[in-house]
Amino acid sequence: MSSVSYHISNLLEKMTSTDKDFRFMATNDLMLELQKDSIKLDEDSERKVVTMLLKLLEDKNGEVQNLAVKWLSGSLVSFHSSLLSSLLPQLTSSRMAVRKRSILALGHLVPCCSPALFSQLTEHLLTELAKGPPTSMTRTYIQCLATVSRQGGHRVGEHLEKLIPMVVKFTSVEDDELREYCFQTFEAFIRRCPKEMSPHVATVTQLCLKFMTFDPNYNYDDAEEEEEDSMDIDGFDEESDDEYSDDDDMSWKVRRSSIKCLEALIDSRRDLLLSFYSSICPALLARFKEREENVRADVFAAFSTLLRQTRGGTSHHALITASSDTSKEEEPAVGMLKKQVPVIVKALHRQLKEKSLKSRQGCFCLLTELAHTAPGALEQHIPALIPGIVFSLTDKSTSSTMRIDALSFFHVLLLSHPPQAFQPHMQVLLPPVVACIEDSFYKITSEALLVTQQLVRVMRPLEQKGGFDPKPFVKEVFSATLKRLKATDIDQEVKERAISCMGHMVCHLGDHLGAELKGVLAIFLERLKNEITRLTAVRTVTLIAASQLKIDLSSILPESLSVLGSFLRKNQRALKLGTLACLTALVTHHAASIKPAALEPVLNELPALVDESDMHVSQVSVTLLTGMAKACPSSLAKISSSVLPGVFRLVHSPLLQGGALAAIVAFLQALVSSKTSNLSYSQLLKSLTEPFHHPPSSADSSVLHRQSFHSVARCVAALSSACPKETPGTVSGLIQEVKNPGSPESARVLALLCLGEVGRNGSLGGSKEVQGVILEAFSSTSEEVKTAASCALGSMAVGNLNDFLPFLLKEITSQPRRQYLLLHSLKEVISACPASSLSAHVESIWALLFQNCECQEEGTRNLVAECLGKLTLVNPAQLLPRLKQQLKAGSPLARSTVVTAVKFTIVDQPAPIDTLLKDCSAAHNKPSLIRGRLSTVLPYLYKETQIRKDLIREVEMGPFKHTVDDGLDVRKAAFECMYTLLDSCLEGLDVLQFLDHVEEGLKDHYDIRMLTFLMLARLVSLCPAAVLQRLDRLVEPLKATCTTKVKAGSVKQEFEKQEELRRSAMRAVAALLAVPEVERSPSMADFANQIRTNADMASIFQSVQGGEGGLGPAESMDMS
């Protein structure tokens, strides 16, 4: 016994260690020791253990704290039943405090008790309520039911059918507090069991709409509206305070709880949004006149939730002005909202001038949401809103928070509406904003500077010429901003916003500043030299340099260039990029004021920036060089030895593509056009192509990458188009290179690609010699040469359709052995040519493609499908119906080709074909096409996730029998489609039904399980509440995967597959354990404990959590 006491004392001592790992291990060891039946503690040891346990509940380390909580809850599990038996009678206590504490205790018991105990508790409450107890007891039981629902979550779902009628019945009892508790219960049901509540939504909505207007002591008559118009604000407040301050009136609690219940409904059922606009929206608008301040704030909050849900379907990147493209299809809910805008403004604009701060804040929050959700919708109502904004900015009793809210809303309003809407009101708007700039509280000053920046844009929008004269307002704005710009003892945020605001003023109103301009520019130069403000100053100088007003910067230019050059050495990427953009703007717009010597500090720093380690910085650096080549060609005299080697290394890099390649192409064209003596056409051409004539040996690590061939070909074609006189000689040299059998393969491949790119620019003509060279290349023994010839022929045909396309189509028909290569050429033509050029050739191409759509080679069929899909985009109205017709006729091979072709008609950007594609699924690229048809498509999709026994067969391989599942590929595709729907169409899915199929996938083949583990982790982050409802069913397959071991004699691949499965399953478990309420589930708590106590599983869990950081990009599903 003494040895046991010593061991426990030792563990208790370790539990006080400063090392968190010691504390965790000691606590875990003590838990395991105390679970042994042989251990009996004396009273003193028991007290020490309990004291230590309570102390660990406040441990700084979360893992130790969690372990202590589990220990405590685990040690109480056996007492749950007796706890319930003790607590239930206390609900009938005569003392209110005892009843409330009993409810609280039951709330804590519910999450960790067994399903049987939970049912017992629910049945007890139902039985007691059915007896029709006194109102005070009914209140207690309903309050208890609300707490149990909040804490029990999804468990309540199975009892709802009995509970709802009971709670509905009690809303008709004339007791305000009871009604409040009833609506709180409904709110808990809606939030915790949204799916199970579906049949009862209409009933609950009707009750909420009825009781949100329940105010028996006050008459909201029509006369009040007229009275309010003539009433001054003070009089209104006095009347409200004197006449309706009845302390016994509890009806406001009923109104508030019913409105909160509606908010929960709006928040959890976005699928019913359109019906909410016809039922709930008008009712909420009518309650904007609510007399009780707290209830009115809840009305605003509920309406703001409705607005957020309206915006929820589309990602909110940035505010757009009302003048932007309106051809984009509008969401139906946004259209319904816009119709309500006049009513909203009418209801709110008076309240913006009330003394109640809470009401005004609610109004501003609601209007801000409205401006975000429907940009431009408030344009007609700005005159009605301005007095309220000005009142909140000028009223002396207004708090700082209120002013910030008003400025924040005003900023959003300015961003989301055109300048013309504000110009007539500048005289009223400007003084209060300028006064806020001078406020002593830095946050108000900061917000006011942001607003002023937008007001400057309103005074003179450079993008459109208007009749508005900004002159009367310039001095007022300038002096207030200058005062803040000069100050050095102010907050960092204010400094930055003052620089930015003054920058916009110089950019938009620089010609009105006169002699003051030089002083402002000198301050900008000072801020440029200051480490804290330099980034903002760089961006501001960029803005001023590109201004349409052509601001004279000569006073600061030489010194600025020197400072900017030094920034290119700094190890701050944002500063580098900002500086390069600034230099580009200066060189482009102010070249006349720049002396070549002033650019030297910049040119000295550029070579180090042109490097493949950061392609974006390289791209911006090359763009700057292009600007220099065009504006200051003399500055590039020394460039060949410093910058050009880096540029050529970049051209030969396998990483070069897109914007960076386009920048280099433009640079080389500018360089050869600048006629700099030491950078002639031939020298540049030689530097580009030289590495391909001396291919590296196998020992050399710098092997030429396929991408570098295409990059060099683009550059050669660009040089050729910039020097048309040189083109014939270049073309004949390239042809000779291809014909020369002694040329290295890399040189011939490059020559073919160069011919193709030169041909794409239309510089070849219909040269018969070129056609012969291409056909000869098709007969080469080298695959690389054949592929290059195919690519080149397609590019040439793009540049000269009339000569090359008939030749290409004839070859496809007459040369079946070269068909695959020729179809690649045709794909290039269809992809790159504009629809207007192709339309004359559509019929001949269409007929040819359908002749080859039943080819036995799958690769050829896929190419034909891609050509068909892209050709359909040329004239979708005519060609898509013809494509669909082919689905009903022809062989399975032809039909599969057509289905694949439809996939290629779906492109990332909006296209005319989109309206015709409503019948096709496009979840990845165009989810809008499929959202409305999910109810039709999903049953077919879910059907394909099921294992079909008729597709499983046994194959005899000698003495062994091997099972082959022919349906696996289809199932895998179905699960991949489900994963895509999670990202693009989540709001259209019934998540619980979706989880049923995920659950089946967790027990399927290796490939399917890998997918479903990813889906489960994704679902946990997107809709944790639904996953918690199915948790007990999901834990078993996860546990089975994590604990399965491979047979001892299995091959190495089996061990690797099982290890990868376990890791993938553990990632899903880690995602589940990140949900706060998850370990309330007994089965999940057991599994989590099993992971911690099993060394093998614990090590996998640790590596997944720590080393890989959960579900990072590496683990997300590749949908390419």
Side-chain angles (χ1 to χ4, degrees):
M1 190 72 185
S2 59
S3 64
V4 171
S5 299
Y6 174 74
H7 183 49
I8 286 173
S9 301
N10 199 14
L11 288 173
L12 288 170
E13 192 180 331
K14 285 182 182 174
M15 285 160 78
T16 60
S17 167
T18 52
D19 188 324
K20 65 178 188 300
D21 294 327
F22 270 46
R23 295 200 303 278
F24 182 88
M25 291 311 296
T27 309
N28 197 44
D29 290 349
L30 189 56
M31 275 175 71
L32 296 172
E33 286 293 327
L34 293 176
Q35 282 167 11
K36 295 176 184 172
D37 294 334
S38 57
I39 300 255
K40 299 285 182 217
L41 293 179
D42 56 53
E43 196 176 322
D44 185 47
S45 298
E46 262 184 22
R47 191 164 49 251
K48 283 179 183 173
V49 168
V50 171
T51 307
M52 185 54 70
L53 182 60
L54 294 171
K55 190 178 173 186
L56 289 177
L57 289 173
E58 296 173 11
D59 196 277
K60 288 178 184 175
N61 182 267
E63 288 185 357
V64 177
Q65 215 175 45
N66 287 343
L67 198 60
V69 170
K70 282 188 197 70
W71 189 7
L72 188 61
S73 60
S75 59
L76 289 173
V77 167
S78 54
F79 298 105
H80 281 178
S81 182
S82 51
L83 281 171
L84 185 64
S85 309
S86 308
L87 287 169
L88 288 178
Q90 300 305 321
L91 291 174
T92 56
S93 167
S94 56
R95 291 175 60 201
M96 171 75 79
V98 172
R99 297 207 296 271
K100 282 193 172 179
R101 286 185 182 175
S102 303
I103 290 170
L104 199 61
L106 284 168
H108 285 290
L109 176 64
V110 160
C112 50
C113 73
S114 66
L117 274 182
F118 184 82
S119 297
Q120 186 187 329
L121 170 58
T122 316
E123 289 299 329
H124 174 81
L125 292 174
L126 276 168
T127 310
E128 291 300 318
L129 285 168
K131 291 177 185 174
T135 307
S136 63
M137 293 316 310
T138 308
R139 274 190 227 137
T140 301
Y141 288 129
I142 293 286
Q143 202 177 0
C144 184
L145 191 55
T147 303
V148 166
S149 304
R150 271 193 294 273
Q151 299 295 333
H154 60 276
R155 287 174 164 194
V156 184
E158 58 199 69
H159 303 280
L160 278 185
E161 290 305 317
K162 295 178 191 171
L163 290 169
I164 294 282
M166 187 77 72
V167 182
V168 168
K169 185 180 80 175
F170 286 116
T171 55
S172 56
V173 176
E174 292 295 328
D175 183 275
D176 289 350
E177 277 195 75
L178 178 58
R179 281 177 177 151
E180 181 193 9
Y181 296 149
C182 286
F183 283 113
Q184 285 174 355
T185 308
F186 285 140
E187 184 188 349
F189 289 163
I190 289 165
R191 289 203 185 275
R192 296 301 185 182
C193 317
K195 185 168 187 252
E196 289 86 344
M197 275 297 288
S198 294
H200 311 287
V201 163
T203 312
V204 174
T205 306
Q206 285 308 313
L207 283 170
C208 290
L209 294 174
K210 177 184 171 185
F211 283 102
M212 70 188 282
T213 59
F214 176 69
D215 199 354
N217 301 325
Y218 188 84
N219 183 21
Y220 295 91
D221 55 10
D222 297 331
E224 184 199 336
E225 296 262 334
E226 296 161 27
E227 218 179 308
E228 262 189 62
D229 285 338
S230 59
M231 194 188 295
D232 69 335
I233 297 162
D234 295 342
F236 175 77
D237 265 38
E238 280 165 26
E239 189 181 347
S240 328
D241 292 345
D242 295 345
E243 204 169 331
Y244 303 108
S245 59
D246 185 1
D247 291 338
D248 298 330
D249 178 17
M250 304 295 281
S251 64
W252 66 273
K253 288 189 173 182
V254 179
R255 298 198 298 280
R256 187 174 69 172
S257 57
S258 58
I259 288 161
K260 279 186 173 292
C261 185
L262 281 177
E263 186 182 356
L265 191 60
I266 295 165
D267 201 24
S268 57
R269 294 302 299 267
R270 191 174 184 277
D271 52 318
L272 301 175
L273 190 60
L274 292 177
S275 67
F276 291 157
Y277 268 101
S278 52
S279 59
I280 296 175
C281 177
L284 285 173
L285 285 170
R287 292 312 300 167
F288 281 6
K289 63 187 177 187
E290 168 64 54
R291 66 189 175 94
E292 188 68 41
E293 187 180 70
N294 289 330
V295 182
R296 190 161 61 230
D298 285 321
V299 174
F300 291 154
F303 202 87
S304 296
T305 303
L306 183 65
L307 294 173
R308 268 194 299 279
Q309 289 292 73
T310 308
R311 195 172 85 224
T314 54
S315 58
H316 177 64
H317 295 300
L319 290 166
I320 51 170
T321 57
S323 58
S324 67
D325 179 25
T326 51
S327 62
K328 190 182 164 192
E329 196 178 329
E330 191 174 69
E331 293 255 340
V334 176
M336 294 176 85
L337 170 64
K338 284 184 175 175
K339 289 176 189 169
Q340 300 286 355
V341 168
V343 187
I344 296 170
V345 175
K346 188 181 175 189
L348 290 184
H349 84 277
R350 276 198 209 96
Q351 303 209 20
L352 284 172
K353 295 184 78 174
E354 275 195 14
K355 280 192 173 175
S356 161
L357 293 183
K358 201 168 185 181
S359 291
R360 275 192 277 158
Q361 272 181 311
C363 290
F364 281 129
C365 289
L366 193 153
L367 286 166
T368 304
E369 281 294 340
L370 180 58
H372 279 309
T373 308
L378 290 167
E379 187 175 350
Q380 304 302 317
H381 310 284
I382 282 170
L385 296 172
I386 282 172
I389 296 170
V390 172
F391 175 73
S392 280
L393 294 180
T394 52
D395 181 33
K396 287 178 182 172
S397 63
T398 299
S399 68
S400 301
T401 315
M402 184 72 257
R403 277 204 181 90
I404 292 167
D405 282 352
L407 286 166
S408 180
F409 164 63
F410 191 17
H411 184 240
V412 170
L413 200 64
L414 286 163
L415 278 174
S416 56
H417 292 78
Q420 304 88 292
F422 301 95
Q423 286 171 350
H425 312 285
M426 284 300 289
Q427 203 145 4
V428 183
L429 287 170
L430 210 54
V433 176
V434 169
C436 286
I437 293 177
E438 291 167 358
D439 196 276
S440 56
F441 185 37
Y442 78 95
K443 283 194 175 176
I444 293 177
T445 307
S446 177
E447 278 301 323
L449 285 165
L450 265 188
V451 171
T452 308
Q453 189 171 303
Q454 290 305 316
L455 284 173
V456 167
R457 186 181 63 85
V458 167
M459 285 187 214
R460 190 199 264 176
L462 295 177
E463 60 274 8
Q464 53 199 54
K465 301 290 178 222
F468 184 74
D469 179 22
K471 200 169 182 182
F473 310 106
V474 173
K475 189 176 179 186
E476 187 182 2
V477 179
F478 177 78
S479 55
T481 311
L482 185 64
K483 186 179 170 186
R484 289 297 178 187
L485 181 68
K486 283 180 173 175
T488 52
D489 56 343
I490 51 172
D491 188 81
Q492 170 76 5
E493 192 179 83
V494 177
K495 276 185 193 173
E496 289 179 356
R497 287 185 176 174
I499 294 167
S500 184
C501 182
M502 186 58 88
H504 276 77
M505 207 172 296
V506 173
C507 176
H508 287 259
L509 304 164
D511 50 349
H512 287 278
L513 299 182
E516 300 276 10
L517 181 61
K518 270 196 175 180
V520 171
L521 293 176
I523 295 173
F524 284 149
L525 184 58
E526 287 303 312
R527 299 292 175 266
L528 207 57
K529 294 173 184 175
N530 185 322
E531 189 176 343
I532 294 170
T533 54
R534 65 189 179 192
L535 182 57
T536 310
V538 165
R539 288 170 180 163
T540 303
V541 173
T542 311
L543 183 76
I544 295 168
S547 169
Q548 293 175 20
L549 302 180
K550 306 222 179 314
I551 306 295
D552 179 16
L553 297 176
S554 54
S555 60
I556 63 163
L557 208 50
E559 201 172 346
S560 295
L561 287 170
S562 171
V563 174
L564 290 168
S566 72
F567 289 168
L568 297 177
R569 284 196 298 273
K570 305 294 180 194
N571 199 18
Q572 191 184 345
R573 190 168 184 271
L575 182 64
K576 262 186 209 168
L577 288 168
T579 303
L580 288 165
C582 182
L583 287 164
T584 305
L586 288 169
V587 167
T588 308
H589 299 281
H590 299 270
S593 312
I594 299 174
K595 294 174 183 171
L599 284 173
E600 277 195 22
V602 175
L603 274 172
N604 292 340
E605 303 301 333
L606 283 177
L609 300 181
V610 181
D611 186 77
E612 67 177 22
S613 60
D614 190 331
M615 276 297 178
H616 187 50
V617 169
S618 298
Q619 179 184 332
V620 184
S621 304
V622 172
T623 306
L624 170 59
L625 286 167
T626 309
M628 286 181 177
K630 288 177 180 173
C632 323
S634 56
S635 65
L636 296 184
K638 300 175 184 175
I639 206 170
S640 53
S641 59
S642 57
V643 176
L644 274 182
V647 172
F648 290 131
R649 271 198 305 277
L650 215 54
V651 173
H652 298 136
S653 163
L655 304 177
L656 184 69
Q657 55 184 329
L661 175 56
I664 287 180
V665 164
F667 169 59
L668 290 173
Q669 284 183 314
L671 207 56
V672 79
S673 305
S674 70
K675 303 280 188 292
T676 307
S677 57
N678 61 339
L679 299 170
S680 65
Y681 175 88
S682 55
Q683 280 177 303
L684 290 170
L685 201 61
K686 186 184 174 191
S687 300
L688 283 168
T689 57
E690 200 167 19
F692 299 87
H693 292 91
H694 310 289
S697 63
S698 56
D700 192 347
S701 60
S702 59
V703 177
L704 294 167
H705 191 274
R706 182 177 292 178
Q707 177 61 37
S708 61
F709 285 88
H710 292 277
S711 303
V712 171
R714 283 273 303 274
C715 293
V716 169
L719 287 174
S720 153
S721 65
C723 304
K725 290 180 185 174
E726 305 279 356
T727 305
T730 305
V731 169
S732 64
L734 291 169
I735 289 172
Q736 291 309 313
E737 189 76 62
V738 178
K739 285 182 172 178
N740 181 5
S743 293
E745 184 187 290
S746 56
R748 290 164 65 208
V749 168
L750 179 66
L752 283 165
L753 292 173
C754 289
L755 281 170
E757 289 298 331
V758 172
R760 190 190 288 269
N761 296 338
S763 308
L764 279 182
S767 167
K768 292 285 177 197
E769 187 183 3
V770 172
Q771 291 179 5
V773 166
I774 295 288
L775 288 178
E776 197 180 319
F778 277 140
S779 309
S780 169
T781 53
S782 162
E783 287 298 322
E784 292 293 333
V785 171
K786 286 197 274 191
T787 306
S790 158
C791 198
L793 181 57
S795 299
M796 290 171 193
V798 170
N800 189 346
L801 267 182
N802 294 333
D803 283 329
F804 282 96
L805 188 60
F807 164 72
L808 175 57
L809 296 177
K810 182 170 101 12
E811 286 294 314
I812 292 174
T813 311
S814 61
Q815 299 286 345
R817 294 186 64 189
R818 297 176 184 167
Q819 202 175 60
Y820 185 76
L821 291 166
L822 292 161
L823 281 169
H824 261 294
S825 306
L826 183 60
K827 183 186 84 173
E828 180 63 27
V829 174
I830 297 169
S831 304
C833 279
S836 53
S837 316
L838 269 179
S839 50
H841 306 276
V842 165
E843 287 305 324
S844 54
I845 300 173
W846 188 267
L848 176 73
L849 290 171
F850 269 103
Q851 285 168 23
N852 294 287
C853 71
E854 294 183 58
C855 178
Q856 292 301 311
E857 284 288 327
E858 189 182 356
T860 306
R861 285 203 311 278
N862 286 340
L863 256 183
V864 169
E866 190 169 350
C867 293
L868 274 172
K870 290 183 173 175
L871 190 62
T872 303
L873 294 170
V874 173
N875 187 350
Q878 281 184 18
L879 298 178
L880 191 63
R882 284 168 67 179
L883 200 59
K884 284 184 189 173
Q885 257 178 338
Q886 296 293 332
L887 280 173
K888 296 170 186 170
S891 67
L893 288 179
R895 294 206 303 277
S896 77
T897 305
V898 173
V899 170
T900 311
V902 173
K903 182 177 87 170
F904 288 105
T905 63
I906 300 159
V907 290
D908 289 337
Q909 302 304 319
I913 196 169
D914 289 354
T915 51
L916 306 169
L917 277 173
K918 293 285 183 188
D919 295 338
C920 306
S921 297
H924 192 64
N925 294 51
K926 292 277 176 73
S928 56
L929 301 182
I930 193 180
R931 279 192 189 115
R933 302 186 61 84
L934 278 177
S935 55
T936 317
V937 174
L938 282 175
Y940 293 106
L941 176 65
Y942 290 151
K943 190 178 174 187
E944 294 302 334
T945 64
Q946 291 160 12
I947 297 172
R948 286 176 56 185
K949 291 185 178 172
D950 55 317
L951 292 177
I952 297 173
R953 55 196 169 87
E954 276 194 347
V955 179
E956 289 191 7
M957 300 172 76
F960 304 105
K961 285 186 177 178
H962 182 62
T963 306
V964 177
D965 185 350
D966 292 326
L968 178 61
D969 287 342
V970 177
R971 285 207 308 284
K972 192 175 170 186
F975 277 105
E976 283 176 357
C977 184
M978 282 171 66
Y979 183 86
T980 304
L981 289 173
L982 277 183
D983 271 342
S984 54
C985 305
L986 180 66
E987 67 276 8
L989 299 174
D990 176 342
V991 178
L992 293 175
Q993 186 188 8
F994 190 95
L995 273 165
D996 287 340
H997 298 280
V998 172
E999 189 188 334
E1000 290 305 310
L1002 291 171
K1003 304 165 194 167
D1004 204 325
H1005 182 270
Y1006 165 82
D1007 290 343
I1008 307 286
R1009 277 194 281 170
M1010 292 293 282
L1011 293 178
T1012 47
F1013 291 143
L1014 283 173
M1015 286 161 75
L1016 185 54
R1018 191 89 187 91
L1019 278 161
V1020 169
S1021 64
L1022 293 171
C1023 33
V1027 176
L1028 286 175
Q1029 288 192 45
R1030 288 293 162 83
L1031 193 57
D1032 292 341
R1033 281 157 55 177
L1034 296 168
V1035 168
E1036 285 313 310
L1038 285 170
K1039 191 188 284 190
T1041 303
C1042 289
T1043 53
T1044 302
K1045 294 201 170 152
V1046 184
K1047 290 176 189 170
S1050 301
V1051 292
K1052 184 185 172 190
Q1053 286 86 338
E1054 282 298 314
F1055 282 101
E1056 287 173 353
K1057 277 171 75 173
Q1058 182 57 30
E1059 187 62 20
E1060 194 47 54
L1061 260 182
R1062 291 175 76 191
R1063 295 181 71 78
S1064 195
M1066 205 59 89
R1067 285 185 198 110
V1069 173
L1072 280 169
L1073 289 172
V1075 179
E1077 297 172 31
V1078 80
E1079 287 199 44
R1080 288 177 174 180
S1081 155
S1083 56
M1084 192 68 203
D1086 285 348
F1087 184 31
N1089 202 34
Q1090 188 179 346
I1091 290 170
R1092 288 189 190 96
T1093 52
N1094 181 305
D1096 186 25
M1097 286 200 282
S1099 68
I1100 296 175
F1101 184 76
Q1102 285 297 325
S1103 68
V1104 163
Q1105 263 203 321
E1108 300 173 19
L1111 189 76
E1115 286 83 43
S1116 59
M1117 191 184 295
D1118 178 14
M1119 300 304 293
S1120 55

